[in-house]
């Protein structure tokens, strides 16, 4: 099997390039909507301010979709741990704090409504066949864009 015949999947593409492309796809999709609270909420208690970018929700959704693709059975708790960070207490010691679960849960619900992810029997989420094809198609486009430049 030559290199040209092999299918390109999400693992073959740089994470940043894929997440940017999939976020743009979600933004242009009429099925994925930005919640009304998206401009008010922080991504975790350890943050001082809400995200600056206008597309931060789509970027987070693309990142979550990529994580679920790479790790089937991933749940809200594991994603909270992944997106968590250090809570800085001024002059006192900093400690790890998990991220906001409401954002993660709302993204997973919207991805489930789009038929990109589905719930596992034992808990967590996994990609559907349609979702995997969708992500692989975008990864293929990103791969060929990078190859041309």
């Amino acid at each position: 099997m030559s290199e040209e015949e092999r299918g390109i999947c999400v693992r073959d593409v740089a994470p940043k390039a894929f997440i940017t492309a999939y976020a743009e796809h979600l933004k242009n999709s009429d099925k994925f909507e930005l919640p009304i609270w998206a401009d008010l909420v922080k991504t975790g208690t350890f943050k001082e301010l809400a995200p600056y970018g206008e597309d931060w929700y789509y970027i987070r959704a693309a990142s979550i979709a990529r994580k679920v693709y790479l790790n089937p059975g991933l749940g809200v708790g594991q994603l909270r741990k992944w997106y968590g960070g250090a809570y800085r207490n001024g002059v006192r010691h900093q400690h790890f704090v998990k991220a906001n679960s409401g954002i993660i849960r709302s993204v997973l619900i919207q991805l489930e409504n789009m038929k990109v992810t589905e719930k596992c029997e034992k808990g967590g989420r996994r990609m559907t066949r349609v979702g995997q094809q969708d992500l692989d198609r975008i990864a293929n486009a990103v791969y060929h864009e990078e190859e041309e430049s």
Side-chain angles (χ1 to χ4, degrees):
M1 208 170 160
S2 71
E3 191 66 28
E4 293 296 322
E5 294 174 8
R6 189 174 71 81
I8 304 299
C9 68
V10 176
R11 293 182 193 275
D12 301 328
V13 182
K16 186 174 182 176
F18 173 77
I19 289 171
T20 305
Y22 194 60
E24 192 64 34
H25 170 75
L26 290 175
K27 188 175 180 181
N28 295 334
S29 172
D30 57 342
K31 296 178 184 175
F32 197 85
E33 297 175 2
L34 187 68
I36 55 173
W37 46 260
D39 58 337
L40 304 172
V41 71
K42 298 190 304 182
T43 56
T45 58
F46 58 95
K47 297 284 188 180
E48 291 185 15
L49 297 170
Y52 286 123
E54 294 177 10
D55 299 339
W56 74 267
Y57 189 78
Y58 299 108
I59 293 169
R60 177 61 57 98
S63 176
I64 288 172
R66 182 179 177 276
K67 287 275 174 213
V68 172
Y69 180 97
L70 296 176
N71 304 310
L74 202 63
V76 175
Q78 289 173 308
L79 288 167
R80 283 185 72 194
K81 197 170 186 181
W82 176 258
Y83 292 110
Y87 186 78
R88 298 171 60 208
N89 294 317
V91 295
R92 294 173 294 170
H93 294 290
Q94 64 185 20
H95 296 286
F96 180 81
V97 179
K98 291 182 180 178
N100 186 344
S101 62
I103 296 169
I104 295 169
R105 196 172 292 114
S106 72
V107 166
L108 287 173
I109 289 169
Q110 285 200 51
L111 289 174
E112 201 171 320
N113 291 340
M114 289 176 61
K115 305 282 191 255
V116 175
T117 61
E118 63 185 5
K119 289 185 179 177
C120 294
E121 297 84 31
K122 295 183 179 179
R125 302 289 203 293
R126 68 172 176 226
M127 282 289 163
T128 60
R129 181 179 297 283
V130 174
Q132 186 172 353
Q133 289 172 352
D134 196 27
L135 268 66
D136 285 342
R137 182 179 46 80
I138 291 169
N140 192 8
V142 170
Y143 181 81
H144 289 303
E145 266 182 29
E146 288 177 353
E147 201 174 72
E148 288 174 4
S149 61

